[in-house]
Amino acid sequence: MASRYFIYMTCLTFLLQSTFGAVFLFSKKTALQNTVRSVTIQNTVSPYPALLSSPILLTLSEHEYRLGNIIEFCEDVDHRLTIQDIQDHAFKTSNQALFHRSSEEFPNFRFTKSAYWLRFSVKDIHETEEVFLLEYAYPNIDTLEIYRPKSTGGWERLLIGDMQPFGAREIAHRNFLCRIRLKPQETQTIYVRIASAGPLIVPMTLWHPDGFRQKEIWENAFFGAYYGIMLVMFCYNLFLAFAVNDRSYLYYVVTISAFTIYQMCLDGTAVQYLWQASPVWSNKAYLFFASLSAFTANQFARHFLALSLNSPRLNRVMLGMMILSLGLGLLVFVVPYRSMITVVSTIVALSTITTLWSAIFCAWRGFTPAYYFLIAWIALIVSVFIFTLIGFGLMPYNYWTWFGSRFSSVLEVVLLSLGLAYRINLLRKEQEKAVILTAQNQELATLNTTLNKQNHELELSNARLDAANTFKTRMVSVVSHDLKNPLGTIRLLAQSLSPELRTDSPEGTETLAVLLAETEHSIRLVEELLDMAALDMGKITLKRQEMDITALANAVVFLLLGQAEKKQQSLKFNETAECVLFGDELRLRQVMENLISNAIKFSPHGAEIIIRLAITKQGMVRFSVQDFGPGLTDEDKSKLFGHFQKLSARPTGGEHSSGIGLAIVKQIVELHGGTITVESEVGKGSTFIVDLPRS
């Protein structure tokens, strides 16, 4: 939301600036049209009196005389007029004058193929001979001819302009200067001929030497500050380019360099300090560095705005503009200046607009560094906009518009340097986050490697343990199976021998009884071991069917009555109703027999054992066995359903306990989807409760 608001305000500001400029231009339209009409119409009646009768009076109080709205001008379409032709016409007495008075402080004849003649007259009213300085303050004019009258008669011609070597100038200065020497009360008429492939701007001023020196102090301070700032920004960004190893700064250093030299071409300092003896290069350098500035600025903008990521399409457009700019920069050396200036200006304008749109788009997408770039680029656009309008005569040339473009460029350089610093800080934070994230990822990878290693070792241990358990279970199964058959044979033999032993002696009868009891116990132990092995290996499958659990409980109670009577115990069976459920009858019989048999084993002689069968409120079948034996301790409860667990309570009639019966019971109950719990108190007995679903 904030980014869109920023863009709205930026566009609104730019729109207001454009509107202001349009109003300003409209206010100047009439004056410009009058100037153009006066330029293009020859042999018309001049609305002003003859200049020769109204010379400029040079006084002691004035040090500056701006000649723009004083001079008269004449258009030479075919470049055929000479000073003799102009002089002859100047003294015509007819009302059809060749020259016309200018109405602008700084006349601007725009882009034209014509040459122009200018004239003005001055009169020295001093008592002594004085020397004044005539300044032509537009350093990019091709041809500038100044005609001064000789004391002996005739004319002294001074040929200067950027097509001439710097050494041909009368005074070594970035602007064009010549001396006007006047005797006391002398009147002189000065003629100036100008022609150029670029715009014909006429900023002519006559200076007293003292006034010129004061003006130079101000301008030198301005240019010193301007180029000083540009140099500081150059060094600052060059240092950062090597310090932070970021190509954005290097691209920006090249951009600052190209743009600074371009500005030096505009204000004449380039020819004064860089290439005095190369007038041909001086004439082409302006367009070359304009193209180079567009090229480097586009490259910098592509990298600064990260267009390859934020907008690949705009990135390709910018690459196309860069190729055009570079190509035009090279064509400057082979194509005439007049043909190239319009093309270069158009491409530079399109490149600037493309860069502006790219910045707006990136800012809209939330790329924060684009905000700095957008503000800075708008400042640069204002600079280019002003200079372009001056060149086409749509904005008046004056000191404020001419030097104001430098302020805009300084603002652009400073803001982009700040934007670069912000971008680098942002990238540095992202890099720090990336480093931290990489370190965390490395730690996580190391931890994962360790965990994977530990998991592998655990899997190997589990595999070995599973193999051992499987081997143990199989061994138990094999051994139990191999024991069951001989034990069964022994039981049959003992049963077959029992009538004979009973008739022979009481000792034989007792021995046979013991043999049968031990055989039965061994067979029961083997069966439990086989069941345990089968359960552990998951080989037991329930044979579910609809069954009467009440009838099954009655049968089990009846079966175990004999075991209880040996200890004078009573089995009391309480049932609420007939209960029918879906289960494995053989396995449920095993559960009931085990629980009732354990109650008999651990109950004292003469005790009562209560068996209950009921339906709970939840619809479960509840089977419970209650005894009044010694009860269970907390330690006993914790290991009650484990394998081969020995409890603190012992059987009361010398019976055997394998320690695996309850474990088998628990597994069978859970296979039916039920639960088994125990309620016990030491010295008061225990109650085992089995809850089974009916389906």
Side-chain angles (χ1 to χ4, degrees):
M1 185 67 182
S3 61
R4 295 188 176 183
Y5 176 78
F6 174 84
I7 296 173
Y8 290 147
M9 295 302 297
T10 303
C11 294
L12 179 61
T13 302
F14 185 73
L15 180 62
L16 291 174
Q17 290 177 344
S18 302
T19 304
F20 176 79
V23 173
F24 177 81
L25 294 177
F26 181 79
S27 65
K28 294 290 184 178
K29 183 177 180 181
T30 304
L32 290 171
Q33 288 177 344
N34 291 336
T35 301
V36 173
R37 281 196 295 270
S38 67
V39 170
T40 55
I41 299 176
Q42 298 188 31
N43 300 325
T44 59
V45 178
S46 175
Y48 302 98
L51 178 64
L52 295 177
S53 61
S54 305
I56 303 173
L57 300 180
L58 306 180
T59 64
L60 293 174
S61 59
E62 295 290 334
H63 288 175
E64 178 185 3
Y65 303 89
R66 296 183 181 180
L67 305 178
N69 53 7
I70 297 175
I71 62 173
E72 289 185 335
F73 61 88
C74 149
E75 183 179 10
D76 182 8
V77 178
D78 300 324
H79 294 241
R80 294 181 178 181
L81 295 178
T82 64
I83 184 63
Q84 288 76 22
D85 298 329
I86 296 297
Q87 189 178 17
D88 291 341
H89 285 290
F91 291 93
K92 283 185 176 181
T93 57
S94 75
N95 291 329
Q96 294 183 348
L98 184 64
F99 282 85
H100 305 274
R101 177 76 66 87
S102 170
S103 62
E104 297 292 321
E105 185 178 15
F106 297 97
N108 186 353
F109 303 114
R110 304 180 297 175
F111 292 93
T112 177
K113 295 181 180 180
S114 301
Y116 279 85
W117 285 88
L118 314 173
R119 73 178 183 182
F120 63 94
S121 182
V122 295
K123 181 179 180 179
D124 183 16
I125 61 174
H126 300 108
E127 297 296 329
T128 59
E129 181 177 315
E130 297 288 340
V131 177
F132 288 83
L133 299 176
L134 178 62
E135 180 187 32
Y136 195 97
Y138 186 67
N140 298 295
I141 191 166
D142 293 344
T143 301
L144 178 64
E145 301 177 46
I146 300 176
Y147 293 88
R148 299 175 293 192
K150 296 181 181 180
S151 58
T152 58
W155 299 94
E156 179 186 7
R157 177 175 176 259
L158 178 62
L159 177 60
I160 48 181
D162 65 5
M163 295 297 292
Q164 305 299 319
F166 188 81
R169 303 185 183 189
E170 187 174 68
I171 300 175
H173 194 267
R174 59 182 182 84
N175 292 329
F176 302 106
L177 295 173
C178 73
R179 298 181 181 89
I180 305 296
R181 193 177 301 275
L182 295 171
K183 297 179 181 180
Q185 304 299 318
E186 182 185 9
T187 301
Q188 288 187 12
T189 301
I190 309 298
Y191 288 87
V192 180
R193 181 181 180 275
I194 56 175
S196 184
L200 279 182
I201 303 174
V202 189
M204 285 181 46
T205 306
L206 190 66
W207 295 94
H208 187 277
D210 294 338
F212 184 78
R213 282 192 291 271
Q214 293 177 2
K215 189 264 299 187
E216 278 294 282
I217 292 174
W218 183 87
E219 287 190 355
N220 289 337
F222 175 83
F223 284 116
Y226 175 76
Y227 290 113
I229 293 174
M230 300 300 284
L231 180 61
V232 169
M233 291 295 100
F234 173 87
C235 296
Y236 167 75
N237 289 280
L238 183 63
F239 171 77
L240 291 179
F242 291 102
V244 302
N245 194 25
D246 188 271
R247 289 183 295 173
S248 296
Y249 283 103
L250 187 61
Y251 294 146
Y252 194 51
V253 166
V254 179
T255 302
I256 292 176
S257 303
F259 188 77
T260 301
I261 298 176
Y262 164 73
Q263 291 288 347
M264 293 178 69
C265 294
L266 291 181
D267 57 40
T269 53
V271 69
Q272 182 179 4
Y273 298 108
L274 301 181
W275 46 72
Q276 293 187 359
S278 304
V280 176
W281 164 246
S282 177
N283 187 255
K284 297 180 179 294
Y286 158 65
L287 292 181
F288 174 77
F289 283 103
S291 302
L292 183 61
S293 297
F295 174 81
T296 56
N298 285 342
Q299 175 61 16
F300 167 70
R302 287 178 59 245
H303 197 266
F304 183 91
L305 298 173
L307 287 183
S308 59
L309 298 176
N310 292 325
S311 179
R313 182 176 298 177
L314 285 175
N315 185 54
R316 291 192 292 269
V317 173
M318 293 281 280
L319 282 173
M321 299 304 301
M322 288 176 60
I323 294 173
L324 284 175
S325 300
L326 184 60
L328 290 175
L330 298 176
L331 287 175
V332 166
F333 297 99
V334 295
V335 179
Y337 179 89
R338 186 180 297 276
S339 303
M340 290 296 299
I341 188 170
T342 304
V343 179
V344 171
S345 300
T346 302
I347 295 301
V348 170
L350 291 176
S351 177
T352 305
I353 294 173
T354 303
T355 304
L356 175 65
W357 174 247
S358 300
I360 293 175
F361 180 81
C362 292
W364 185 274
R365 293 283 299 272
F367 187 60
T368 306
Y371 301 157
Y372 289 90
F373 188 94
L374 183 59
I375 297 175
W377 203 253
I378 288 178
L380 181 64
I381 286 178
V382 171
S383 174
V384 175
F385 184 72
I386 291 174
F387 181 76
T388 303
L389 291 181
I390 292 174
F392 285 96
L394 300 177
M395 180 174 284
Y397 175 96
N398 54 51
Y399 291 116
W400 291 108
T401 56
W402 187 250
F403 290 106
S405 61
R406 274 69 172 178
F407 287 109
S408 299
S409 62
V410 167
L411 180 62
E412 182 261 349
V413 170
V414 173
L415 287 175
L416 281 184
S417 296
L418 294 175
L420 272 173
Y422 178 83
R423 180 180 178 275
I424 293 300
N425 290 331
L426 185 64
L427 292 177
R428 182 174 297 173
K429 291 180 180 178
E430 292 178 353
Q431 290 176 353
E432 291 176 354
K433 292 180 180 178
V435 170
I436 295 174
L437 183 60
T438 302
Q440 291 176 347
N441 290 335
Q442 290 178 350
E443 293 178 359
L444 184 60
T446 304
L447 181 60
N448 287 335
T449 302
T450 304
L451 290 176
N452 291 333
K453 184 178 179 180
Q454 292 177 351
N455 288 334
H456 181 67
E457 293 176 354
L458 183 60
E459 289 175 356
L460 293 177
S461 299
N462 289 334
R464 289 192 293 267
L465 183 60
D466 290 341
N469 288 332
T470 302
F471 178 77
K472 179 199 71 175
T473 303
R474 289 179 178 177
M475 286 296 297
V476 170
S477 178
V478 171
V479 172
S480 300
H481 183 271
D482 291 342
L483 287 175
K484 186 177 181 182
N485 290 332
L487 288 173
T489 302
I490 293 173
R491 182 174 62 180
L492 291 175
L493 291 174
Q495 290 175 350
S496 64
L497 293 173
S498 61
E500 299 177 4
L501 291 176
R502 288 193 183 100
T503 57
D504 289 344
S505 64
E507 293 83 2
T509 302
E510 183 179 354
T511 301
L512 182 61
V514 172
L515 177 62
L516 288 172
E518 293 296 329
T519 303
E520 290 292 338
H521 170 70
S522 298
I523 292 174
R524 189 159 47 253
L525 177 61
V526 170
E527 289 176 347
E528 289 179 347
L529 288 173
L530 289 173
D531 289 337
M532 183 189 69
L535 289 169
D536 289 342
M537 295 179 67
K539 292 184 177 182
I540 287 184
T541 57
L542 300 180
K543 299 178 180 179
R544 293 178 180 269
Q545 61 183 0
E546 191 175 78
M547 54 174 291
D548 187 350
I549 190 72
T550 305
L552 178 63
N554 276 312
V556 173
V557 171
F558 180 79
L559 180 66
L560 296 175
L561 280 175
Q563 182 181 347
E565 288 176 352
K566 291 180 180 180
K567 299 175 71 173
Q568 291 83 42
Q569 298 172 342
S570 62
L571 301 180
K572 185 178 180 181
F573 180 46
N574 296 327
E575 55 179 300
T576 57
E578 294 185 357
C579 299
V580 178
L581 60 76
F582 197 74
D584 190 325
E585 182 175 356
L586 180 62
R587 294 299 176 184
L588 291 179
R589 176 188 291 272
Q590 188 175 353
V591 170
M592 292 180 180
E593 287 181 357
N594 195 294
L595 293 177
I596 297 173
S597 178
N598 280 347
I600 295 172
K601 290 179 183 179
F602 290 92
S603 295
H605 289 263
E608 183 182 44
I609 298 171
I610 303 174
I611 299 102
R612 296 183 179 87
L613 187 66
I615 305 295
T616 66
K617 295 180 179 179
Q618 292 78 24
M620 303 285 285
V621 176
R622 174 166 290 181
F623 175 80
S624 65
V625 179
Q626 183 181 4
D627 65 63
F628 298 94
L632 299 171
T633 63
D634 292 337
E635 183 180 358
D636 290 339
K637 293 178 182 178
S638 64
K639 58 184 181 179
L640 186 63
F641 298 103
H643 292 164
F644 304 103
Q645 298 295 326
K646 297 296 184 180
L647 305 180
S648 60
R650 308 302 301 168
T652 57
E655 298 95 340
H656 296 282
S657 178
S658 64
I660 58 176
L662 289 177
I664 296 173
V665 167
K666 184 174 185 296
Q667 289 182 299
I668 293 175
V669 170
E670 290 177 347
L671 284 176
H672 282 82
T675 60
I676 180 170
T677 58
V678 61
E679 298 176 356
S680 181
E681 188 176 351
V682 177
K684 294 184 178 182
S686 304
T687 303
F688 287 83
I689 303 170
V690 176
D691 289 331
L692 298 170
R694 303 184 68 178
S695 60

